Amino acid sequence: MKFEENVVGVDFLKGKCLMNSEVALILQHKYEKMCDEHSTNQVFEKSLQYVKRFSQYNNPHAVTQVRHILSSYLISEVDLCVLGNLCPKSVEESIAMVQPKGLARLDDEAIKKILTELSLLKKFDM
């Protein structure tokens, strides 16, 4: 068994992960439908507040771009979401946040490029 499988489980590694920003967009859309039908509940509203609070990107286009940028580097879904949710500022911080070997195949310049692209998206996210 590989280290990664032992930490998060095989099924988790194969699953599709969503960043908080993506979940916020999905829940916001659902919430608007629920409001039209007058069927909201407190747990749903608290969940929506939580993901909105911890979302790094609010603009749907920015959220799509973040996923596209990170996906282009062929990193795992888990690592993609960690980077998209936490928005590290440095190469060292990025490497420390992801699973062992998560960014190992990327050199420091590639990681810097990812961080630069993400920070630009965050700067212009409205």
Side-chain angles (χ1 to χ4, degrees):
M1 180 179 279
K2 291 186 217 167
F3 178 76
E4 293 88 3
E5 292 171 349
N6 198 19
V7 173
V8 295
V10 178
D11 293 334
F12 190 72
L13 288 172
K14 294 177 184 175
K16 177 83 169 170
C17 297
L18 295 174
M19 295 177 291
N20 290 336
S21 300
E22 293 170 311
V23 175
L25 291 174
I26 292 166
L27 292 182
Q28 182 63 42
H29 180 71
K30 178 73 174 166
Y31 180 73
E32 289 167 5
K33 284 184 177 181
M34 291 171 72
C35 285
D36 291 343
E37 299 166 1
H38 306 290
S39 64
T40 62
N41 68 59
Q42 188 176 10
V43 173
F44 185 89
E45 290 176 10
K46 292 282 184 187
S47 299
L48 178 58
Q49 287 173 3
Y50 175 86
V51 291
K52 279 184 167 182
R53 179 177 179 202
F54 292 104
S55 292
Q56 297 294 332
Y57 306 92
N58 300 313
N59 180 310
H61 179 70
V63 174
T64 303
Q65 285 298 109
V66 169
R67 178 161 289 275
H68 177 73
I69 289 166
L70 292 171
S71 295
S72 70
Y73 288 92
L74 303 174
I75 60 177
S76 74
E77 284 285 319
V78 174
D79 293 335
L80 182 150
C81 289
V82 167
L83 294 174
N85 283 338
L86 300 177
C87 297
K89 303 282 187 259
S90 69
V91 171
E92 296 79 19
E93 191 178 14
S94 300
I95 292 169
M97 288 180 181
V98 300
Q99 301 175 60
K101 301 181 190 174
L103 297 174
R105 62 174 200 72
L106 300 176
D107 61 12
D108 286 1
E109 287 304 312
I111 298 170
K112 282 181 190 176
K113 184 178 177 193
I114 292 170
L115 297 178
T116 301
E117 291 180 67
L118 295 180
S119 69
L120 282 173
L121 277 173
K122 191 170 171 129
K123 181 187 281 189
F124 296 108
D125 181 38
M126 295 177 204

